[in-house]
Amino acid sequence: MRLGLFGGSFDPPHVGHLLVAQDALAALHLDHLLVIPAAQQPLKDHHGTSAVHRLAMVQACFAGIPGIEVDPVEIERGGLSYMVDTVEAVHRRWPAAVLHLLVGRDVVPTLPRWHDVDRLLRLVRLVVLTRETAPDGRPLPIDGESDGGVVAEYLATRRVDISSTEIRSRVRDGRSIRGFVPDAVATYIASTGLYLEHPRESIDAERIVRA
């Protein structure tokens, strides 16, 4: 069994996350892909959106996508989300699975700071997501390479210039996020008042989804 792990803050999840997950599922011939929202990322500010809201948005984002499952393992565990602990928990559930850990190219330089990274890399096959493409515009094939001493597979994904930071900013400014996130996520953000300077203020969910 080939099992993929795709973790992150997902604050909020957006169409870029959705496309990357589906591309990886197909390109890596995965039997299953787990999307794992973090409780608290050790290398990030802890003042983001609550885990409860982020989990709900991730579930809305990936609902009904064949082969993809949202796994709340890190949120249920609580505290700092060390990927090595998550991988070991997944390995106990699927001991025969070959685990593929998906990370962005920008994450690779931080690997030496990850908790017990040597043990982590013995348990998984590292897949680095990159936006590089061949001259004719086709995605580059997956190649075994070494980046900073880390042996990894490189998987070219399509360019989607969307960030969670931009989405949060657009919501705060009252601008539409249509096309940035699936409609179910936009509706959740609107109905809860997430990312507003004053969360208790009302906001028109229909306008955000359809504008």
Side-chain angles (χ1 to χ4, degrees):
M1 179 180 181
R2 296 170 64 86
L3 184 63
L5 309 177
F6 183 29
S9 297
F10 301 111
D11 190 15
H14 52 69
V15 294
H17 296 132
L18 186 61
L19 292 172
V20 162
Q22 292 181 99
D23 285 348
L25 188 70
L28 297 171
H29 306 289
L30 300 175
D31 296 295
H32 210 60
L33 175 66
L34 301 180
V35 180
I36 306 172
Q40 295 181 23
Q41 289 217 13
L43 302 182
K44 286 190 175 182
D45 189 343
H46 297 162
H47 299 293
T49 305
S50 76
V52 171
H53 283 310
R54 289 185 292 104
L55 175 59
M57 288 189 289
V58 172
Q59 290 170 333
C61 182
F62 291 94
I65 306 297
I68 297 180
E69 175 187 343
V70 177
D71 191 335
V73 57
E74 292 188 349
I75 290 175
E76 291 177 349
R77 187 170 66 234
L80 294 177
S81 299
Y82 295 122
M83 182 53 71
V84 66
D85 295 336
T86 300
V87 166
E88 289 184 331
V90 171
H91 181 68
R92 286 193 294 270
R93 288 154 60 189
W94 290 283
V98 178
L99 305 182
H100 295 72
L101 177 61
L102 278 56
V103 300
R105 181 65 184 265
D106 60 321
V107 168
V108 174
T110 73
L111 286 175
R113 299 165 57 198
W114 285 30
H115 180 68
D116 211 347
V117 68
D118 291 337
R119 182 158 55 106
L120 171 65
L121 295 178
R122 288 195 296 268
L123 295 170
V124 300
R125 295 185 179 182
L126 190 66
V127 179
V128 179
L129 306 171
T130 176
R131 295 180 176 182
E132 297 173 5
T133 55
D136 62 3
R138 291 181 295 106
L140 290 169
I142 301 171
D143 296 313
E145 297 184 15
S146 178
D147 195 323
V150 177
V151 176
E153 293 179 289
Y154 278 67
L155 174 61
T157 59
R158 68 190 80 205
R159 293 190 64 89
V160 182
D161 292 322
I162 297 175
S163 72
S164 296
T165 300
E166 179 184 6
I167 294 167
R168 295 195 300 268
S169 177
R170 292 182 70 89
V171 174
R172 283 195 301 270
D173 294 342
R175 292 180 288 163
S176 172
I177 56 174
R178 180 176 176 80
F180 289 75
V181 299
D183 285 357
V185 176
T187 299
Y188 186 90
I189 291 171
S191 65
T192 56
L194 286 179
Y195 310 126
L196 293 175
E197 185 175 357
H198 303 289
R200 292 184 180 179
E201 292 180 359
S202 62
I203 190 164
D204 187 345
E206 189 73 8
R207 176 178 61 81
I208 282 190
V209 173
R210 299 187 178 279

